[in-house]
C-alpha cells in the first residue's frame, strides 16, 4: 500500500492494530484478531459519534461503550490509552494479562478507568447494555433530557449472538424500542473452531429485524460506510444493529481471515509482515506523535459538552436528587420507614408467606426510595414485587417503576446489572428460586463488579408443593452461598423479611438474593422476642433461649420456612426435660463477618448442633460440624401439597427433636 494512500484515520486504526498485536505478543497470550478486525469501526465510533471526555470517564451523561466481545480487550485498552484516559499508560499495555495489571485478559470493571463493565462471558455485554439503555430512558423520564441524553454502543461478536442470553436481550430491547442502543456486530464469520458455518446458519440481520431493530450492513473497513450507518442510527426510533463485515486479524499476511488469529499471538514473523502490509514503520509499542495527537484530540472532543452539562446541572432544580441517585446514596428517611414497618409487624405478628412479607416491606420502601425500579419475569403475582401504586414501564413511557421482563430470567438479571452500572436506579426483580440457575452467570458478574442488584426469588423449597421437583429448589441455596460476594437472605418470618430488605438496600457493593416462601409462616419475632435493632444484620442470632430451669444441652438452627420447626422442636424437647436454644440464621454471609467470639456465643461452644432446612446439607457442616445433625433434603422433591411433602421427606419438628435426642 502506498503511504500516501493511508489517511490519518486509517493510521489511527492501525495504531490500535499495532498495540493489540504487540501486547498479545509480549504477553504470549491473548486475542489479537478481533481488535485488528474492528479497529476501523472503533475509530469511526470514537472519532465522530461517541460523547466522551477522556479526562472524566465517569461523567454521568457520557455515552457508554461496552466491549461485549471481551476477549478482544486490547481494542478497549488501546482506545483508553490513545484517547488519554488518566491511569491507562503505555506501561499498562506492556503489562497486558499480568498479575495486578490494569489490563487483565478480559476487561474488569473497577480495575481499569473507562471500562464500563466486566465482559468476557459471551452474551453478557450485549445483554447488560440493554439495561444501561433502559436506565438512561428511566433517568431521562425523571430528570429531563437537559441532564440525561446519551447512548449505549456495543461491539458484539458471532459468539455473543450465539449465546442464548442474547436472544432474550435482543427481544427485550426491540420490545422496549431502545433507540438509544446501537450494536456493532463484528461479522467476521470466524469462531475458535474455524468458520462460523461449522455451527451457525442463522441470518443475524433477519433475526434482529424480526425483533424490531433497525438493521444495516456495511464493509467494516470502509470508514465512510461505517460513518453513514452510525449517522442513520442517530435518527432511528428503534434499537440499532450494524452488521460490520470485517476480516479478523486485518493486515496479517498469512493469517488474516483465519481462526489462527483469534486466540493466539501472531508470532514475530507474522507481525513483521503485518507492519509491512499496513505501512506501519514503528517499533513495538511506539505510536508516532501525529497519530497520538489525533487520538488525544478525539479524547478531548467531549470536554465542551461535559462542561456545558455541568453548568446545566449546577443550575438545575433537581441537582441534589440527581447527584444523590447517581452516587447511589439512599434518601433521608428510608431507614426509618422500614424500621417503622418492622415494629408494626412485630407488634401485629401476622402469619404470612415471606413472599407476601416481602411485598409488605416494599409497600413501605417504594415511596421512601424513589430510585427503586421493580420487575418480574412474568411472575408478578407470585413474586409480590409490585406494590399497589407502581405503574408499568412501557416502550412509550419510562416514567413508571415496574418492568415486565417476560419469561427472560437471564436477560432480566443482566439488564439489572446494566441498570446498576449506569447508576441512578436501584433494580430489583423477581422469579422463582429454582430459576436462579438461569440467572447465575449474571449474578456472578454482579458479584464480581460489586453492583447493588436485588433478586427476589420466591417458592424457595419443597414448600412450593404441587408443581413438583422441576420447580422445587434443593441445591440452589448451597450454590448461591458458594458464590463470593453474594448475600443470600432466607428470612424466617414477616419481621426478618423486612429486616432483610433493609440489609439488601444497604448492600451497595454486591448483589442480594431474597429466598422467600410460598407457604404461610407464623410470626416468631413477636413482642416478647422483638429487638431494638435489626437482628438479621448479625446474620445469625439466638431467637429463643431454653425454657427457664432447663439445662441447655443443644442448639437448633433454622432458616426460612423451617425456623418455626426448630421452635416447635424446642418445645418438644422441653417436654422431655432437654433444654435447647433456637438460632435463626437468615444470612450466612453476614454471620461469617461477625467476630469469632460472637459466633461461638450464638452457636454455643461445645454444644451439639442440629440444623433444619428444606434443602441439601452442603455447606452446613461449617456451622454444625461433621458430627452435627441435619434435617433436610437428600435428593429432589415430589409433587403433592406441601404439608404432605414435609411429612414425606421427614422435615418436621418431631424429626428435629429426635435428631437432637441422639446427640445429647
Amino acid at each position: 500500500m502506498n503511504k500516501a494512500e493511508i489517511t490519518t484515520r486509517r493510521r489511527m486504526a492501525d495504531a490500535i492494530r499495532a498495540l493489540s498485536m504487540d501486547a498479545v505478543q509480549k504477553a504470549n497470550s491473548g486475542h489479537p484478531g478481533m481488535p485488528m478486525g474492528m479497529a476501523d469501526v472503533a475509530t469511526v465510533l470514537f472519532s465522530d459519534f461517541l460523547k466522551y471526555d477522556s479526562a472524566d470517564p465517569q461523567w454521568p451523561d457520557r455515552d457508554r461503550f461496552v466491549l461485549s466481545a471481551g476477549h478482544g480487550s486490547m481494542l478497549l485498552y488501546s482506545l483508553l490509552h490513545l484517547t488519554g484516559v488518566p491511569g491507562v499508560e503505555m506501561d499498562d499495555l506492556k503489562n497486558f494479562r499480568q498479575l495486578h495489571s490494569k489490563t487483565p485478559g478480559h476487561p474488569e470493571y473497577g480495575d481499569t478507568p473507562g471500562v464500563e463493565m466486566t465482559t468476557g462471558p459471551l452474551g453478557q455485554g450485549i445483554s447488560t447494555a440493554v439495561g444501561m439503555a433502559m436506565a438512561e430512558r428511566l433517568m431521562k423520564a425523571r430528570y429531563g433530557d437537559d441532564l440525561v441524553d446519551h447512548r449505549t454502543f456495543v461491539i458484539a461478536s458471532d459468539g455473543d449472538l450465539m449465546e442464548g442470553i442474547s436472544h432474550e436481550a435482543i427481544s427485550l430491547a426491540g420490545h422496549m424500542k431502545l433507540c438509544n442502543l446501537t450494536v456493532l456486530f463484528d461479522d467476521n464469520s470466524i469462531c475458535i473452531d474455524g468458520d462460523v458455518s461449522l455451527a451457525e446458519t442463522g441470518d443475524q440481520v433477519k433475526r434482529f429485524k424480526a425483533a424490531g431493530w433497525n438493521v444495516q450492513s456495511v464493509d467494516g473497513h470502509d470508514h465512510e460506510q461505517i460513518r453513514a450507518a452510525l449517522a442513520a442510527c442517530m435518527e432511528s426510533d428503534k434499537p440499532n444493529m450494524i452488521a460490520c463485515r470485517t476480516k479478523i486479524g486485518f493486515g496479517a499476511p498469512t493469517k488474516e481471515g483465519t481462526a489462527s488469529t483469534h486466540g493466539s499471538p501472531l508470532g514475530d514473523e507474522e507481525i513483521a509482515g503485518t507492519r509491512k502490509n499496513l505501512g506501519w514503520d514503528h517499533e513495538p509499542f511506539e505510536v508516532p506523535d501525529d497519530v497520538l495527537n489525533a487520538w488525544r484530540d478525539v479524547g478531548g472532543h467531549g470536554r465542551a459538552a461535559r462542561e456545558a452539562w455541568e453548568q446545566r446541572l449546577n443550575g438545575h432544580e433537581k441537582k441534589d436528587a440527581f447527584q444523590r441517585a447517581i452516587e447511589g446514596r439512599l434518601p433521608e428517611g428510608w431507614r426509618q420507614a422500614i424500621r417503622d414497618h418492622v415494629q408494626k409487624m412485630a407488634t401485629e405478628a401476622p402469619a404470612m408467606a415471606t413472599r407476601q412479607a416481602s411485598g409488605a416491606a416494599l409497600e413501605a420502601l417504594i415511596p421512601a426510595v424513589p430510585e427503586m425500579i421493580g420487575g418480574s419475569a412474568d411472575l408478578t403475582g407470585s413474586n409480590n414485587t409490585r406494590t399497589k401504586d407502581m405503574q408499568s414501564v412501557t416502550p412509550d413511557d419510562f416514567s413508571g417503576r415496574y418492568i415486565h421482563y417476560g419469561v427472560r430470567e437471564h436477560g432480566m438479571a443482566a439488564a439489572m446489572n446494566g441498570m446498576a452500572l449506569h447508576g441512578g436506579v436501584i433494580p430489583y426483580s423477581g422469579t422463582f428460586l429454582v430459576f436462579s440457575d438461569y440467572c447465575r452467570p449474571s449474578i456472578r458478574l454482579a458479584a464480581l463488579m460489586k453492583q447493588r442488584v436485588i433478586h427476589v426469588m420466591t417458592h424457595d423449597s419443597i414448600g412450593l408443593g404441587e408443581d413438583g421437583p422441576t420447580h422445587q429448589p434443593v441445591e440452589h441455596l448451597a450454590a448461591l452461598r458458594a458464590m463470593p460476594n453474594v448475600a443470600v437472605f432466607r428470612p424466617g418470618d414477616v419481621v426478618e423479611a423486612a429486616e432483610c430488605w433493609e440489609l439488601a438496600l444497604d448492600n451497595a457493593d454486591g448483589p442480594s438474593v431474597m429466598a422467600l416462601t410460598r407457604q404461610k409462616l407464623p410470626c416468631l419475632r413477636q413482642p416478647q422476642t422483638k429487638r431494638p435493632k435489626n437482628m438479621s444484620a448479625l446474620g445469625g442470632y439466638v431467637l429463643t433461649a431454653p425454657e427457664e430451669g432447663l439445662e441447655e444441652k443443644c442448639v437448633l438452627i433454622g432458616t426460612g420456612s423451617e425456623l418455626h420447626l426448630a421452635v416447635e422442636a424446642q418445645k418438644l424437647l422441653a417436654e422431655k426435660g432437654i433444654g435447647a436454644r433456637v438460632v435463626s440464621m437468615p444470612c450466612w454471609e453476614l454471620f461469617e463477618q461477625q467476630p469469632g467470639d460472637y459466633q461461638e456465643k450464638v452457636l454455643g461452644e461445645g454444644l451439639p448442633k442440629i440444623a433444619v432446612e428444606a434443602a441439601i446439607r452442603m455447606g452446613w457442616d461449617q456451622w454444625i460440624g461433621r458430627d452435627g445433625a441435619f434435617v433436610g433434603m437428600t435428593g429432589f422433591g415430589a409433587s403433592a401439597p406441601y404439608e404432605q411433602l414435609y411429612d414425606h421427606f421427614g422435615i418436621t419438628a418431631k424429626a428435629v427433636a429426635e435428631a437432637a435426642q441422639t446427640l445429647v
Side-chain angles (χ1 to χ4, degrees), residues 358-378:
S358 169
L362 285 171
E363 292 286 356
L365 285 170
I366 292 300
V369 187
E371 55 266 41
M372 288 179 70
I373 302 294
S376 174
D378 201 44

Side-chain angles (χ1 to χ4, degrees), residues 12-36:
M12 292 169 69
D14 286 345
I16 296 173
R17 295 184 172 102
L19 289 174
S20 297
M21 65 183 183
D22 289 343
V24 171
Q25 186 69 16
K26 186 175 187 297
N28 197 30
S29 72
H31 302 76
M34 192 282 279
M36 296 172 71

Side-chain angles (χ1 to χ4, degrees), residues 591-642:
F591 191 64
E592 285 180 303
Q593 295 173 18
Q594 305 309 312
D597 56 352
Y598 174 78
Q599 294 179 11
E600 291 177 1
K601 181 180 178 181
V602 169
L603 295 178
E605 187 175 5
L607 291 174
K609 299 166 186 61
I610 304 90
V612 54
E613 188 172 66
I616 61 172
R617 178 169 179 150
M618 183 175 289
W620 270 107
D621 285 1
Q622 176 181 3
W623 308 119
I624 64 177
R626 293 181 62 186
D627 297 329
F630 178 74
V631 177
M633 297 294 292
T634 58
F636 294 115
S639 175
Y642 79 89

Side-chain angles (χ1 to χ4, degrees), residues 78-399:
S78 298
L79 287 163
L80 295 175
H81 169 69
L82 290 168
T83 56
V85 172
V88 187
E89 309 301 331
M90 186 64 81
D91 283 345
D92 296 308
L93 304 192
K94 294 178 181 179
N95 206 27
F96 180 52
R97 295 173 78 94
Q98 305 308 303
L99 185 63
H100 303 312
S101 77
K102 293 181 183 178
T103 51
H106 293 85
E108 295 182 28
Y109 177 81
D111 283 7
T112 313
V115 170
E116 298 285 4
M117 68 166 292
T118 298
T119 56
L122 291 176
Q124 287 288 336
I126 185 175
S127 306
T128 303
V130 170
M132 293 180 180
M134 290 176 68
E136 191 270 348
R137 297 288 302 275
L138 290 161
M139 291 289 283
K140 182 180 291 187
R142 285 148 180 77
Y143 298 101
D145 58 12
D146 50 345
L147 291 186
V148 184
D149 187 21
H150 53 266
R151 295 173 176 271
T152 299
F153 295 91
V154 184
I155 285 182
S157 65
D158 290 289
D160 281 299
L161 302 187
M162 289 184 196
E163 290 285 359
I165 188 176
S166 75
H167 293 258
E168 298 181 24
I170 292 164
S171 174
L172 179 61
H175 170 72
M176 297 304 293
K177 299 180 182 178
L178 298 177
C179 58
N180 55 346
L181 175 64
T182 297
V183 171
L184 299 158
F185 168 37
D186 181 16
D187 186 14
N188 62 31
S189 296
I190 295 295
C191 59
I192 293 176
D193 283 353
D195 196 279
V196 168
S197 62
L198 289 168
E200 177 65 69
T201 55
D203 187 323
Q204 299 294 358
V205 168
K206 290 181 179 178
R207 173 186 165 200
F208 276 81
K209 282 183 178 178
W213 289 56
N214 173 52
V215 183
Q216 304 173 75
S217 298
V218 300
D219 178 343
H221 303 298
D222 185 318
H223 288 210
E224 290 306 316
Q225 286 191 34
I226 299 165
R227 188 175 296 109
L230 281 166
C233 293
M234 303 301 110
E235 306 301 323
S236 171
D237 60 357
K238 300 176 181 179
N240 302 278
M241 189 272 261
I242 303 175
C244 305
R245 189 64 174 170
T246 63
K247 296 177 181 178
I248 190 170
F250 181 89
T254 68
K255 296 183 178 181
E256 177 186 275
T258 69
S260 60
T261 70
H262 172 83
S264 302
L266 296 182
D268 291 335
E269 184 176 343
E270 190 77 7
I271 287 177
T274 304
R275 279 186 154 79
K276 183 177 180 180
N277 279 351
L278 297 177
W280 188 260
D281 300 327
H282 308 286
E283 294 298 312
F285 297 103
E286 179 186 344
V287 179
D289 289 344
D290 62 327
V291 174
L292 183 60
N293 290 337
W295 269 117
R296 294 295 159 89
D297 287 344
V298 167
H301 68 190
R303 189 162 300 138
R306 175 176 61 82
E307 292 172 349
W309 178 87
E310 288 172 346
Q311 289 184 352
R312 294 196 301 275
L313 175 65
N314 287 331
H316 203 283
E317 62 180 356
K318 295 182 179 180
K319 174 185 176 182
D320 291 343
F322 178 86
Q323 287 187 318
R324 181 191 60 73
I326 210 74
E327 292 169 8
R329 292 182 285 112
L330 295 168
E332 292 184 10
W334 81 272
R335 197 179 305 279
Q336 192 59 50
I338 189 62
R339 290 188 175 178
D340 288 347
H341 174 71
V342 167
Q343 291 304 310
K344 182 175 184 288
M345 293 298 98
T347 300
E348 297 178 359
M352 63 171 66
T354 51
R355 61 170 175 156
Q356 294 174 315
S358 169
L362 285 171
E363 292 286 356
L365 285 170
I366 292 300
V369 187
E371 55 266 41
M372 288 179 70
I373 302 294
S376 174
D378 201 44
L379 288 169
T380 297
S382 294
N383 299 147
N384 295 90
T385 44
R386 182 175 184 173
T387 64
K388 59 180 180 295
D389 294 326
M390 293 180 83
Q391 299 300 310
S392 294
V393 175
T394 71
D396 301 314
D397 185 358
F398 275 75
S399 64

